[in-house]
Amino acid sequence: IEEDDIQAVVDTLKSGFLVQGKRVQQFEAQVAELTGASHAVAVSNCTAALHLALVALGISYGDLVIVPAYSWLSTANVVELCGATPIFVDVEPDTFNMSVDALKGKLKALMEDADSASRVKAVIPVHVFGQMAKMDAILALCTPYNIPVIEDAACALGSAVAQKQAGTWGTLGCFSFHPRKAITTGEGGIVVTDDQALANQLRALRNHGLDAESASPDFVLAGYNYRMTDLQGALGTTQMQKLERILASRRTCAARYAELLTGSDIAFPQPTNREAHVFQSYVVLLPLAVAPRRADVITALRDKGIQTTIGTYHMPMTRHFREQGNYQTGDFPIADQIAAQALTLPVYEGLSLEEQAFVVSTLLDVVHQFS
Ligand SMILES: *Cc1c(COP(=O)(O)O)cnc(C)c1O
């Protein structure tokens, strides 16, 4: 948070207009421009964005929505909040993103059965840690069945493949502006889409069902209050101006880590092209033998002044979904491994090469001590 961010929020406070006004509109216009989407609808957070994306598509009781096993819990929670059931599929060992083969197998099985075939209503690939999932292959599997794809692009603002931005491949794309993401509005989220009717639906849904198109107030559905404040919108507008700079510095940090880790027994991200990953988190895999002692690795690094953490969550193995789906270790073998081995290293603008060298040399020392 820099001086211009603070000033933008103070100016908004002084303006006296605090909720979903001009500043939110400006922020939406910036995100639409960056992504190339026709519509951007700001909401209170990305979980709300994902929830509204599902509601706008009409997903409700009895429906099935396919999600990857490895993500932040929002991805699966929102499905259940609509009364639908998340169907988990395993992820890829190198990108941690939804496995195209696993999706293919799961879709085939679901579509062979007339009952389940009629209930599959969406697929939500996640661009885990800011690296784009294989959208072309995922869309190629879903399009023949007319299954809409919602991108959980919470961590991926600014990543792209073939110059097409994350969030604009599917029918809807959702971004987060939580402080853990590259740019922040405190809490905040946005849905992008090219579909005018869906955008209108989203605008009504976020604001008590109020028809955004109508000249006099008219309520066209039972909506939520998922509005973004103008304080957040103002912060978003100044943060958006820094996005390119912040992403460039994160990519520089990632390239340095890659160089420092080459030749070690730590597996590190190797995106196929520079554009496809914005490194919301820099997540490496500990050697299998060391994984059971990951908590000790984190403590040993912390004692040296280095903050690290796990990656994200193996959703079907968290208590609620595990009990509900009766999932066992081995049902999602790649997610099992990644969830055990993942370690997030520090990445932020201003992290120096010397500090990164210290992180890596300390990590390698600790890993060898525990091997
Ligand atoms: C952060 C995150 C979310 C949730 O975003 P909020 O804005 O905190 O609601 C959802 N999905 C993924 C993959 C995330 O990383």
Side-chain angles (χ1 to χ4, degrees):
I1 301 295
E2 293 163 349
E3 212 40 59
D4 59 333
D5 299 311
I6 294 166
Q7 200 53 53
V9 175
V10 170
D11 289 347
T12 306
L13 280 167
K14 287 180 175 168
S15 80
F17 198 100
L18 304 187
V19 176
Q20 198 178 281
K22 235 174 29 208
R23 307 312 308 270
V24 167
Q25 271 179 20
Q26 287 165 355
F27 177 50
E28 289 175 334
Q30 284 172 301
V31 174
E33 194 191 336
L34 175 92
T35 56
S38 310
H39 310 278
V41 180
V43 291
S44 42
N45 55 67
C46 184
T47 307
L50 289 162
H51 186 196
L52 289 196
L54 289 169
V55 175
L57 289 173
I59 284 150
S60 75
Y61 292 91
D63 292 340
L64 307 174
V65 176
I66 301 177
V67 302
Y70 190 62
S71 180
W72 176 242
L73 275 298
S74 301
T75 317
N77 283 345
V78 291
V79 174
E80 194 168 310
L81 292 174
C82 295
T85 303
I87 303 290
F88 297 101
V89 296
D90 209 353
V91 294
E92 299 178 331
D94 51 346
T95 65
F96 319 146
N97 283 326
M98 176 182 270
S99 154
V100 173
D101 284 341
L103 174 63
K104 191 175 180 181
K106 183 60 80 179
L107 267 178
K108 186 167 183 287
L110 290 167
M111 290 301 159
E112 270 166 8
D113 174 83
D115 171 58
S116 59
S118 67
R119 294 161 64 207
V120 182
K121 293 293 170 62
V123 174
I124 312 182
V126 181
H127 304 313
V128 179
F129 308 133
Q131 176 165 218
M132 278 193 65
K134 297 201 167 64
M135 289 308 300
D136 48 356
I138 291 168
L139 288 166
L141 289 172
C142 296
T143 308
Y145 299 114
N146 277 321
I147 300 172
V149 173
I150 299 169
E151 293 173 70
D152 182 344
C155 301
L157 185 66
S159 44
V161 166
Q163 264 139 55
K164 194 170 168 58
Q165 291 277 318
T168 65
W169 290 71
T171 305
L172 298 138
C174 301
F175 297 98
S176 173
F177 302 96
H178 181 271
R180 273 289 302 271
K181 322 302 181 187
I183 62 165
T184 185
T185 58
E187 295 278 3
I190 212 160
V191 191
V192 298
T193 182
D194 284 336
D195 185 316
Q196 173 84 56
L198 281 176
N200 290 347
Q201 190 83 350
L202 292 166
R203 292 200 172 97
L205 282 166
R206 75 173 165 180
N207 191 19
H208 307 283
L210 180 66
D211 182 2
E213 303 285 274
S214 174
S216 58
D218 200 5
F219 297 84
V220 291
L221 45 79
Y224 301 82
N225 178 357
Y226 277 171
R227 290 180 304 230
M228 175 179 269
T229 68
D230 251 25
L231 310 179
Q232 293 164 298
L235 186 50
T237 57
T238 49
Q239 288 273 299
M240 276 299 282
Q241 290 162 9
K242 309 169 205 279
L243 180 69
E244 208 178 309
R245 185 196 86 198
I246 291 170
L247 297 187
S249 74
R250 300 181 79 86
R251 282 172 168 147
T252 300
C253 287
R256 288 181 190 153
Y257 272 138
E259 208 162 299
L260 291 161
L261 288 164
T262 295
S264 74
D265 50 1
I266 308 276
F268 58 88
Q270 307 206 36
T272 45
N273 76 73
R274 190 180 146 85
E275 272 199 303
H277 204 329
V278 287
F279 298 99
Q280 178 267 342
S281 293
Y282 192 88
V283 178
V284 300
L285 297 180
L286 294 171
L288 260 181
V290 180
R293 300 198 60 191
R294 180 174 57 180
D296 298 326
V297 170
I298 291 173
T299 305
L301 289 168
R302 191 178 58 211
D303 291 345
K304 301 274 187 189
I306 299 167
Q307 191 180 21
T308 57
T309 184
I310 67 161
T312 188
Y313 290 86
H314 189 330
M315 297 191 294
M317 293 306 280
T318 59
R319 180 159 139 200
H320 172 69
F321 291 112
R322 186 180 70 233
E323 289 180 357
Q324 196 176 59
N326 195 24
Y327 297 114
Q328 319 279 337
T329 302
D331 290 346
F332 308 95
I334 307 297
D336 290 347
Q337 278 187 29
I338 291 165
Q341 289 174 264
L343 187 74
T344 306
L345 305 186
V347 173
Y348 52 89
E349 207 181 9
L351 186 66
S352 71
L353 174 59
E354 293 68 32
E355 287 169 316
Q356 290 190 263
F358 175 67
V359 168
V360 170
S361 64
T362 312
L363 172 65
L364 295 179
D365 281 353
V366 168
V367 161
H368 294 143
Q369 192 185 315
F370 290 140
S371 293

